[in-house]
Amino acid sequence: MTTSPVRAKRAFPRSRVFFVTHARLGTESFEVRVRDLSIEGARLEAPNPPPVGTDVHLVYDDLESRCRVTWIDNRVFGVEFHFPLDPSEVPATFLAAAKRTPASKG
């Protein structure tokens, strides 16, 4: 099932990353794979993504970002952060990996 809208050109580039973390939906937590990341959003993968429009909390160690599901394509889905990430709070290993492997635009 694809519910991906036509997206305007992104204001901030996304960078390819790969790490596993958790998202919280209310009191439930589920594992997600982060496939790309920008300061304004991310592309995630999970067996059962939440519906478009759902607010979730993306959690990694002590970092937690509120975001909203904006599109779904099978197990892959996009989220937009309610507040842009502060690059100084993103682990340096992610930023280093992101600089080595820029994501394609689209």
Side-chain angles (χ1 to χ4, degrees), residues 30-96:
F30 59 99
E31 186 175 279
V32 296
R33 293 179 176 164
V34 181
R35 299 295 190 171
D36 69 31
L37 181 67
S38 80
I39 65 169
E40 65 181 4
R43 181 169 52 107
L44 310 174
E45 182 179 348
N48 297 303
V52 169
T54 302
D55 286 332
V56 297
H57 291 244
L58 190 58
V59 180
Y60 183 81
D61 289 339
D62 293 336
L63 300 175
E64 185 169 333
S65 295
R66 292 185 323 160
C67 52
R68 175 168 289 137
V69 177
T70 57
W71 60 268
I72 300 171
D73 187 359
N74 296 315
R75 296 169 40 123
V76 178
F77 62 108
V79 295
E80 179 180 17
F81 298 125
H82 287 284
F83 301 99
L85 295 179
D86 179 346
S88 69
E89 294 181 350
V90 177
T93 53
F94 296 160
L95 295 177

